[in-house]
Amino acid sequence: MISLHFLFVIVLVVLGLSAVVFKRNMIKIVMGLNVIAGGVNLFLISMGYRQGAVAPIFTNAPDLLMVLPTPQALTLTAIVINLTVTALMLSFIIMLYKHYRSLDSFKRRLLG
Amino acid sequence: MTFLVEHGPAIAIAIPFLAAFTVPLVAKLGGRVRDGCVVLSLALTEFVVLMLAGDVLANGVRTYALGASVPSLTAPAGFPVRIILEVDAMSALISLVAMTIAFLASLFSLKLIPAKEGLGKFFALFLLLSAGMMGMCYTGDFFTLFVFFEIVSISSAGMISFFRSGESFEAAFKYMVISVTAGLFLLFGVGILYGNYGMLNMAAIAGEVAAGHSLLDVAAISLIASALLFKSGSFPVHMWKPDVFQEAPANVVVMILTSSLVGLYVLFRILFTVFGTVSTAVAGWLIVALGAVSIIVGVLMAMPQRNLRRMIGFVAIAEIGYVMLGVGTGLVSMQPVNAFGVNALSGGLFHIVNDALNMSLIFLAACAVAYITERRDLSGVGGLAHRSAPLAVFFLIGLLAISGIPPMNGFASKLMIFESVFFLNPLLSVIGITGSILMLAVFVKVFVALFLGTPYEGKLRKTPKTMLIPMFVLSVLIILLGLFAPFAVDTLITPAAQALLDPQAYIGGVI
């Protein structure tokens, strides 16, 4: 039996990858990368999810199951890294647009 | 001294990190202070890495748990907690190569880049890249690997676009798209491993995998391996390499070349140590095939290139192919281990060292030529040997070493690869040797055009000492490694190959 969120992970990653590979607009490529990142983050979070569990804070915690803290730490780090990367790539696109006057990734000068 | 060795893994990562954030501030005091700070911090790191390598070769694996009361306290409750750094003979060798190249590249860069406003920030990125490479070498933990992987990507991309031309932004964007995709694949693979084993420590996961594995491991290993192959620029995703080589500043290109070799090291670490029992002959054959195609594609594409930097970029793809050919053969013949497999593995690892030295030397020599003639396009330049003999000698040493002519180091490692790959399939040796000969043809053509013929008549700048010293050191290392190849193999390479073949030592360091 496959859980529904893992299905969503696969859909998101495939959608993002297809955008990165097939889209010509550079901003859409960056969006595709973000969609992949969203899929991977969803995967990490859903791995640590336990139904009916509480947040992993031990102070005054009720005697229930806790969700796994490690995937949340991983996701947080991954989100921060992804934000940095997105900002950097968008700034590259701004500079590229200033030089080339186009967002089309096929209009390039480095060939072969 | 014992303090330095005991805390060595953490210190070797911490020094470049701290320096990266102090250099932009120190740069306000003037250029000399800034340069001194960069070179001094990298020299210190190099010293620590050397001490650590000596200790590891003598006493075996050294582990370091960050934040533990005692650094060796890796598994207080029977399972590993905290971020663990682990250094064995293999990672010590790679970190030694990476740090040596980083140190020499920093020396080379002092006079290379025209003094601009942002040089302090440029060196900050340079040091961050060094720290990221050190981290990738020493980490014993999958998630930390991902973080350092991204640090390497981000700092490299920032430096590739340093000259702010449209083409350099294009190269940086391309590098970034591929690196980010690779990083996300890596994270996905790490996530699968975490879901499967509930751990992130490489050694602990290796212990679990040895007990039994599932289909999920194969999915994870494919994702992680493809991510690291993206990063190292082997055949299917090699297209970023020539662009980066063409546009980035010379010292950055050398660093990116080294970081791609570090990526290959991490791949081998994961294939051999962590998944030694899963990665069967199929994985080995895949690596061998990709390596062989990389050689063919790299060399064939290098021949028609008119831009020298771009040409060297394609040759770098082929050189990565030789490493993969050697180590892949080692992987194919791992179960059961046989003599030619071990020889191929040692050859591949030896070629990592030689590739870093040779490609750096030839690229730095080419860029020094561009610097003294003050031209980016070298098409009309010729007869430089009459005016600048040292550069001609360095370029000649580099080209002989890359094409594997005795007595250079490239000959030693390529011979080890060819003679053992022959037992796997004679065709692979043929591909390798042909590639080597074609490389010689490509570079001799360039050498004749650049250095021989009627003396160069245009204005020439003096070659600064900070450029000559790194090239001299690289040439000396190349010749020494070539002349004393058996000694080098026995002291450095064989322990590294043994460390890859025997995962128990690595696992035992943690649990």
Side-chain angles (χ1 to χ4, degrees), chain B residues 319 350-351 353-355 357-359 361-362 392-416 418 436 440 447 471-486 488-489:
Chain B
E319 286 285 302
F350 194 18
H351 201 69
V353 181
N354 296 342
D355 181 24
L357 296 175
N358 303 344
M359 293 303 290
L361 177 63
I362 206 157
V393 173
F394 291 144
F395 198 90
L396 190 63
I397 292 175
L399 88 85
L400 291 179
I402 287 182
S403 7
I405 307 290
M408 305 302 177
N409 58 358
F411 171 72
S413 55
K414 279 188 180 171
L415 185 67
M416 283 170 82
F418 296 155
S436 224
L440 183 65
F447 181 75
M471 288 190 278
F472 178 73
V473 173
L474 285 171
S475 318
V476 169
L477 283 176
I478 285 175
I479 294 175
L480 282 183
L481 276 181
L483 290 179
F484 302 102
V489 169

Side-chain angles (χ1 to χ4, degrees), chain B residues 298-346:
Chain B
V299 173
L300 288 184
M301 289 297 288
M303 285 204 280
Q305 298 301 326
R306 304 186 139 267
N307 185 317
L308 177 57
R309 290 169 144 240
R310 202 171 176 78
M311 198 190 87
I312 299 179
F314 279 110
V315 173
I317 297 167
E319 286 285 302
I320 290 283
Y322 284 102
V323 178
M324 288 166 64
L325 202 60
V327 179
T329 307
L331 195 58
V332 171
S333 49
M334 202 166 109
Q335 285 153 342
V337 181
N338 54 29
F340 78 83
V342 177
N343 195 22
L345 180 60
S346 316

Side-chain angles (χ1 to χ4, degrees), chain B residues 210-284:
Chain B
H213 61 84
S214 67
L215 196 64
L216 273 176
D217 289 335
V218 180
I221 196 176
S222 325
L223 282 166
I224 295 176
S226 59
L228 292 164
L229 284 175
F230 276 28
K231 190 83 181 170
S232 52
S234 85
F235 158 63
V237 214
H238 59 280
M239 61 283 193
W240 58 268
K241 227 169 189 176
D243 291 357
V244 167
F245 271 58
Q246 187 180 336
E247 289 306 324
N251 50 339
V252 178
V253 169
V254 172
M255 290 294 277
I256 289 176
L257 181 93
T258 318
S259 76
S260 67
L261 291 171
V262 172
L264 268 190
Y265 149 71
V266 178
L267 174 67
F268 300 151
R269 160 70 70 218
I270 288 170
L271 282 180
F272 279 91
T273 307
V274 183
F275 292 106
T277 47
V278 187
S279 48
T280 45
V282 181

Side-chain angles (χ1 to χ4, degrees), chain A residues 9 26 33 37 40 43-44 47 70-71 74 77-78 81 85 89 92-93 95-96 99-100 108-112, chain B residues 143 146 150 157 161 164 166-167 169-170 172-173 176-177 180-181 184 187-188 191-192 194-195 243 246 310:
Chain A
V9 168
M26 285 189 284
L33 286 173
V40 174
F43 175 66
L44 288 175
M47 236 169 26
T70 321
L74 303 192
T77 320
I81 290 177
V85 162
M89 293 180 79
F92 282 150
I93 293 177
M95 300 308 286
L96 273 173
H99 282 98
Y100 289 8
R108 55 183 213 246
R109 293 186 203 154
L110 294 171
L111 293 171
Chain B
F143 191 69
F146 166 72
E150 292 286 1
S161 62
R164 296 173 149 267
E167 287 88 346
F169 283 116
E170 194 184 320
F173 184 76
M176 208 59 211
V177 169
V180 173
T181 318
L184 290 171
L187 185 61
F188 203 172
I192 293 177
Y194 182 80
D243 291 357
Q246 187 180 336
R310 202 171 176 78

